[in-house]
Amino acid sequence: MAIETINPANGETVETFEAHSADEVQQRIAAAHDAFHQLKSTTYAQRAAWMHATAEILEADVDKTAEMITLEMGKPIAQSRAEVLKCAKNMHFYADNAESFLGAEALDDPSSVNAASAGTVWQPLGVVLAVMPWNYPLWQVIRFAAPALMAGNTGLLKHASNVPLSALYLDELFERGGFPTGSFRTLLIGSREVAAVIEDPRVKAVTLTGSEPAGRSVAATAGQVIKKAVLELGGSDPFIVMPSADIEAAAATAVKARVSNNGQSCIAGKRFIVHTDVYDQFVDAFVAKMNALTVGDPMDESTDVGPLATESGRTDVADLVDDAVAKGAEVLAGGGAPDRPGWYYNPTVLAGLTDDMRIVMEETFGPVASVYRVADRDEAVRVANQTTFGLSSAVWSNDADEQDWFVGALDAGAVFLNGMTVSYPELPFGGIKDSGYGRELAAAGIREFCNLKTVWKA
Ligand code: NAP
């Protein structure tokens, strides 16, 4: 795939970039390796000062950076600004908390292991490669980079080929904040060059956020060379609505959960599973709100839904909808692309879905909602758990026993009760099943790329 920025709002090429040569890739890996030897011997306080300074640069750059994101991948501009500020928040969070997350621990009774003292310390691993997607071009990267650098690791970024401006902005960002040269480096390479970087002995681990096929490929390479991997892959999250819920609030949040980021979020509510007693009330409200969304230029502050990021992404969404409709699905809203340049797709609601339709099992990466009518909570969970994914989930119910029951029954990395899934620096984030393994954010996220070293002393 060419490394180029194409404006998805009109399909025009903004800028094309040469991939880094093999020599340049080697130099960048060497720089990250050298920087690790410096960074690992700095104090938490020093790294925290650089991380806060880097976050302040992002905060100062918010407007121009938000415009860059919207230009490259079509997210409504207000959401781009929110993404940039969330990155800065995450950097401040790890600057403030890394030391306590990675504190040494000692056994209260070391005599139980025949020692005078015994416990654990956390140590950084070295250079970590991050293979990242375009849908949150800054957030996905910072989510990895802030904890990695605070732990004393260094980072290499292979970003998605359609967001090179974001990739190059990130290439300089940490150095601007004071981190040693090479602490974080972008590799402008195609996905075929990724395996060789993982195999390089100077690279100690890899994290990938992206699709299931990319995850399988990266994990297979990491497995061959026995390197740690974290995988944050796709999702087809259920959003369950039960009779005791506030239906109007559920419908309003459901729209946000489905169309935020133009529907291209791994943790979007994608399948709306509604108890039969409140199905008509929920669906009427949901469809009305989906129809009321403004589809348009993502640079316009009043736009709710911009274009999909790539032409092939729109084709994938259209194919899923067309397949379902050909097999008898009912279109309650939308159902096609508007007649305008760019890679837009109308907010769409489908009902009457049957198991032979691809959309029932596959991820829909665009503003298309599937609605299911269920008789009771057992059927709700059966439908919720029937895909191969297990990223997050949402349940709307005001019955405390029912909430607990769903928390236990859903196969997912998270359950959000009476809300939509959102990632927070303070909470672990990640999935099970084909949504991947490992966790980002919170204490769990910074520990993924550290060695938990046991120290025993006679
Ligand atoms: P993608 O095609 O898998 O690309 C993600 C990254 O992987 C890109 O940098 C891509 O490079 C690279 N890549 C693709 N195939 C590869 C391979 N065989 N070996 C090594 N690298 C490879 O995914 P996407 O379309 O950009 O993103 C959408 C997917 O990401 C969705 O499934 C979404 O749910 C998932 N996602 C998950 C999370 C999460 O936290 N769980 C968050 C966001 C997105 P090129 O661009 O050069 O192909």
Side-chain angles (χ1 to χ4, degrees), residues 128-397:
V128 184
L129 171 67
V131 183
M132 290 288 147
W134 45 263
N135 62 339
Y136 293 90
L138 257 53
W139 168 245
Q140 302 291 359
V141 177
I142 297 297
R143 188 166 85 167
F144 150 76
L149 268 60
M150 279 308 303
N153 293 302
T154 56
L156 288 171
L157 169 65
K158 181 274 180 271
H159 217 327
S161 295
N162 57 324
V163 289
L165 294 176
S166 298
L168 292 171
Y169 176 82
L170 289 159
D171 185 45
E172 296 176 346
L173 180 66
F174 289 94
E175 213 173 311
R176 287 170 69 197
F179 278 91
T181 304
S183 299
F184 191 84
R185 272 282 163 267
T186 287
L187 304 175
L188 283 185
I189 55 174
S191 55
R192 268 180 294 192
E193 275 78 59
V194 167
V197 179
I198 298 171
E199 287 163 357
D200 190 295
R202 293 165 294 186
V203 174
K204 302 302 179 198
V206 59
T207 181
L208 175 130
T209 301
S211 62
E212 203 186 315
R216 288 186 196 284
S217 167
V218 161
T221 307
Q224 281 301 316
V225 287
I226 315 185
K227 290 184 186 173
K228 175 77 186 272
V230 166
L231 301 180
E232 296 285 3
L233 308 179
S236 187
D237 288 1
F239 187 109
I240 297 170
V241 184
M242 297 300 283
S244 63
D246 177 339
I247 303 302
E248 267 301 311
T253 304
V255 171
K256 209 170 154 203
R258 180 57 286 206
V259 306
S260 176
N261 210 35
N262 305 337
Q264 304 159 117
S265 169
C266 53
I267 49 170
K270 294 179 181 130
R271 297 176 299 135
F272 298 84
I273 301 167
V274 188
H275 191 283
T276 188
D277 290 354
V278 289
Y279 180 89
D280 291 340
Q281 188 190 349
F282 174 84
V283 170
D284 287 352
F286 183 55
V287 167
K289 291 175 199 303
M290 288 287 274
N291 277 327
L293 293 167
T294 304
V295 177
D297 181 353
M299 291 291 182
D300 187 332
E301 298 286 346
S302 64
T303 290
D304 298 310
V305 181
L308 299 191
T310 62
E311 190 169 20
S312 64
R314 182 176 67 171
T315 303
D316 291 346
V317 168
D319 286 352
L320 284 177
V321 173
D322 293 349
D323 169 77
V325 171
K327 290 171 181 163
E330 199 184 339
V331 181
L332 303 182
D339 184 16
R340 59 181 296 162
W343 302 318
Y344 291 86
Y345 199 83
N346 286 322
T348 295
V349 182
L350 298 180
L353 299 159
T354 51
D355 289 352
D356 58 333
M357 299 172 186
R358 288 176 52 208
I359 204 164
V360 170
M361 296 299 279
E362 296 182 28
E363 179 180 29
T364 321
F365 223 53
V368 176
S370 310
V371 185
Y372 299 79
R373 184 196 289 269
V374 293
D376 53 29
R377 67 187 195 179
D378 291 309
E379 190 182 2
V381 160
R382 187 191 61 71
V383 174
N385 287 347
Q386 74 181 352
T387 73
T388 56
F389 297 111
L391 193 51
S392 189
S393 57
V395 178
W396 283 70
S397 163

